[in-house]
Amino acid sequence: MTAYRPHDHRWHKGIQMTATDVSGQNFWGGVTYVRDQGYVELPNVGTMRHQDLVVADTPSDRAGFTERLAWHTQAGEHWVDEVREFTVQDIDGESWALRFTTELTNVRGEPLVFGSPTTSGRELAGYTGLFWRGPRAFTDGEIIAADGQGGPEMMGQEAAWLAYVGHHDEVDRSSTLVFIDHPDNGVTRWFVRDTPFPAVNPSFAFFDKLDLAAGERLRLRYRLVVADGAWDRARIESYVEDHPW
């Protein structure tokens, strides 16, 4: 269901939570987009350091854990403390859901500005935040979104949810991923591709930068449904309606 360190983007790691531009620092990996220059290799690639992991006390029908991380710039400065919460629950015998929450706290001592390649001048490349890179076989899959929307035209658009239907090699089967945005996340625009590779990202800084004052927290919540088979619009809408936040 995911591609891990594909040859074209070694820093893509399945499903990841990171940021492309934090006050000029790149926590995404790879090269950095610079206005009027394009992608440039810079000494600005930060790290996210694991601090702690606690298994959650959850009901028997689900499992979860909480992870704490510290974001450090390449120069070693500690800028962000993060808490990630994961909960996994079966929906039925052929699908399951991941609930993901992240809370980012600015510990730099001065404001942080979150952006993306698009906020630095690259058209329709506003990727940052929770990011899924699909397997190569899912190229040219089907994109379905809320309110009758869909297709590659969803790039940069708003929607409460977006689904990607991909087709596996060898086994003559399909799978569906449904990404559901939490209504409290603020303005979310979708970075989504079906070619040259499959990718979905509910970006929180696609066209506009997000300022986080010193000591302030940014909290984001998402749900990801992973299902066997090719779900159509009616089935996706039924699930979303029957499983509100």
Side-chain angles (χ1 to χ4, degrees):
M1 298 296 293
T2 64
Y4 184 82
R5 289 180 55 82
H7 72 85
D8 52 3
H9 294 75
R10 296 293 189 191
W11 48 92
H12 288 180
K13 297 179 178 177
I15 299 176
Q16 60 189 40
M17 169 62 200
T18 181
T20 49
D21 182 355
V22 185
S23 294
Q25 298 298 303
N26 175 2
F27 289 90
W28 188 270
V31 290
T32 299
Y33 191 85
V34 178
R35 188 179 297 275
D36 299 325
Q37 296 184 46
Y39 282 106
V40 181
E41 187 172 341
L42 298 174
N44 69 338
V45 180
T47 59
M48 298 177 181
R49 304 178 186 177
H50 169 78
Q51 303 293 305
D52 186 35
L53 189 145
V54 177
V55 177
D57 183 12
T58 58
S60 58
D61 65 341
R62 66 194 68 181
F65 62 89
T66 298
E67 183 182 17
R68 298 181 183 276
L69 304 100
W71 296 27
H72 292 258
T73 67
Q74 187 166 325
E77 296 178 355
H78 182 191
W79 279 14
V80 176
D81 279 338
E82 181 185 9
V83 178
R84 298 183 180 185
E85 298 177 3
F86 299 80
T87 303
V88 176
Q89 183 177 15
D90 284 339
I91 299 172
D92 53 37
E94 297 182 339
S95 59
W96 57 276
L98 167 67
R99 293 179 182 269
F100 174 77
T101 300
T102 179
E103 188 172 84
L104 307 175
T105 302
N106 178 357
V107 297
R108 183 187 182 190
E110 57 184 277
L112 290 175
V113 180
F114 290 82
S116 68
T118 291
T119 64
S120 293
R122 186 186 175 199
E123 185 177 0
L124 295 181
Y127 50 88
T128 198
L130 185 70
F131 182 87
W132 166 76
R133 168 68 187 261
R136 208 165 302 278
F138 278 23
T139 303
D140 296 321
E142 183 180 7
I143 299 166
I144 306 170
D147 303 318
Q149 303 178 90
E153 299 80 11
M154 287 305 301
M155 177 68 84
Q157 300 301 310
E158 295 183 58
W161 56 263
L162 184 144
Y164 194 103
V165 180
H167 308 291
H168 297 277
D169 288 333
E170 301 181 7
V171 294
D172 297 328
R173 297 177 64 183
S174 303
S175 293
T176 302
L177 295 96
V178 185
F179 299 81
I180 305 172
D181 187 38
H182 194 281
D184 292 342
N185 286 345
V187 177
T188 295
R189 294 183 180 273
W190 295 91
F191 177 89
V192 56
R193 284 179 173 169
D194 59 0
T195 187
F197 55 80
V200 175
N201 161 227
S203 174
F204 62 89
F206 196 111
F207 292 114
D208 300 306
K209 295 181 179 181
L210 185 149
D211 296 332
L212 191 65
E216 284 196 350
R217 298 177 179 178
L218 172 64
R219 181 177 172 86
L220 301 169
R221 299 170 63 188
Y222 305 98
R223 191 188 324 156
L224 168 59
V225 176
V226 180
D228 288 346
W231 283 18
D232 60 15
R233 177 178 297 278
R235 185 168 183 182
I236 298 168
E237 291 177 341
S238 176
Y239 168 82
V240 173
E241 182 177 350
D242 293 342
H243 297 81
W245 285 98

